Amino acid sequence: MTIKSMFMDKVNNQEPIAMVTAYDFPSAQMCESAHSDIILVGDSLGMVVLGYSSTIKVTIEDMIHHGKAVKRGAPDTYTVVDMPFMSFNVSERDAIMNAKELFQSIEPDALKIEGGADVAPTVERITKAGIPIVGHVGLTPQNVNVLGGYRVQGRTEAEAKQIVEDAKALEEAGAIAVVLECVPARLAAKLTEELSIPTIGIGAGVECDGQVLVYHDLLEYGVSRLPKFVQSYANFNKDGTTAISHYVEDVKNKFFPTEQHTFQIKDEVLKGVYGDK
């Protein structure tokens, strides 16, 4: 089954698609064990894992490094990998070569490209070359400096029309699905009805064909604040810090390691090394 047919089978059966953004081997293992439909290796790893202020500094090498780790952790889960900043915008040739490098190095099921009508010709060309593409419209973090910050897109008539045009251009170009980020719910619902390809929402309401959240957000792992659209399902910041604090306290008080955590040596062996000392 191709990723496109997998998407459409779920949509036709009215089964919402659950996507999780993850960046490494253990998180991918957990996502696969939890039966996530799709793992997205997002360039948001720049902020979440690498500590950058935005996704702008993320490189193709970063995506390959993390993408390979995810594939090792979740070999049986459909995987989509972001094309990072400026890897598909400079020229069509560069875009195709960068897509080729990512696809051959990681072996994901699809790549994801941010942008709408402006990148549709590139999406079409890469698709014709044999690489499935997921689109991404609305709030596109790679363009945050142009958009005026991390804010909801599509509240004005002009913005809403542009989002619709962008999504339809991606569909026409052969995209297998489109992520709708920070788009008003009613607009996302209307667009989901109109498109023949699935919509994956993040901050776009429940009527999208699927949803995506970042692993670290839904577990509250290493994040100091959560966007409005995130539902937290655990608090590893609290539980993890408490656990590490207990470990530090046990070390300071010599409560750890105990005998059960310690390896032994026979008396005669030790005597052979040190004699009767």
Side-chain angles (χ1 to χ4, degrees):
M1 181 186 292
T2 66
I3 190 169
K4 184 172 184 178
S5 62
M6 186 276 290
F7 271 137
M8 292 312 304
D9 282 352
K10 290 184 180 297
V11 171
N12 293 335
N13 292 330
Q14 296 186 321
E15 178 188 346
I17 299 164
M19 178 189 284
V20 180
T21 302
Y23 315 103
D24 59 19
F25 180 84
S27 61
Q29 279 189 314
M30 291 176 67
C31 290
E32 183 156 285
S33 295
H35 307 295
S36 174
D37 295 311
I38 305 163
I39 294 175
L40 169 64
V41 187
D43 61 356
S44 49
L45 69 88
M47 295 178 288
V48 178
V49 176
L50 302 179
Y52 297 146
S53 60
S54 72
T55 63
I56 303 304
K57 290 186 177 182
V58 176
T59 65
I60 287 179
E61 290 73 23
D62 291 331
M63 298 309 303
I64 290 173
H65 176 81
H66 288 270
K68 284 182 173 180
V70 166
K71 286 298 293 182
R72 288 192 292 269
D76 298 321
T77 301
Y78 286 98
T79 305
V80 180
V81 175
D82 267 341
M83 292 194 71
F85 180 69
M86 295 300 290
S87 65
F88 55 89
N89 317 78
V90 178
S91 71
E92 185 177 280
R93 183 182 184 282
D94 284 346
I96 293 170
M97 295 307 295
N98 288 332
K100 171 180 175 288
E101 182 176 5
L102 286 165
F103 206 69
Q104 287 185 327
S105 298
I106 304 169
E107 298 186 273
D109 295 282
L111 301 179
K112 182 167 76 65
I113 290 179
E114 291 186 13
D118 57 327
V119 300
T122 300
V123 170
E124 182 174 14
R125 184 67 183 86
I126 294 174
T127 298
K128 286 182 177 179
I131 299 175
I133 296 294
V134 174
H136 184 154
V137 301
L139 174 59
T140 48
Q142 291 178 14
N143 298 311
V144 67
N145 293 321
V146 177
L147 297 174
Y150 296 95
R151 62 179 183 84
V152 177
Q153 302 293 308
R155 280 180 165 160
T156 69
E157 183 175 331
E159 287 182 351
K161 285 183 177 179
Q162 187 62 58
I163 288 171
V164 172
E165 290 174 9
D166 285 341
K168 289 184 176 180
L170 292 170
E171 176 185 46
E172 182 70 21
I176 60 171
V178 60
V179 172
L180 305 179
E181 181 167 356
C182 288
V183 173
R186 290 172 63 193
L187 174 62
K190 287 281 190 182
L191 191 50
T192 298
E193 288 181 4
E194 291 184 345
L195 294 176
S196 63
I197 59 175
T199 59
I200 308 294
I202 178 166
V206 73
E207 296 303 322
C208 293
D209 295 309
Q211 302 293 328
V212 58
L213 282 180
V214 172
Y215 171 92
H216 295 69
D217 284 346
L218 66 91
L219 294 180
E220 284 195 60
Y221 174 31
V223 294
S224 58
R225 61 177 294 275
L226 296 175
K228 176 182 178 179
F229 55 76
V230 170
Q231 167 67 51
S232 170
Y233 290 87
N235 190 338
F236 190 70
N237 283 342
K238 178 181 176 182
D239 295 341
T241 302
T242 298
I244 294 170
S245 295
H246 288 163
Y247 159 73
V248 170
E249 183 178 349
D250 281 356
V251 170
K252 299 293 185 183
N253 291 308
K254 290 199 170 183
F255 295 156
F256 176 83
T258 65
E259 188 171 345
Q260 68 175 339
H261 304 113
T262 305
F263 300 103
Q264 304 302 325
I265 187 172
K266 293 181 178 180
D267 291 342
E268 57 268 28
V269 175
L270 194 61
K271 185 175 180 179
V273 176
Y274 288 102
D276 292 326
K277 295 180 182 178

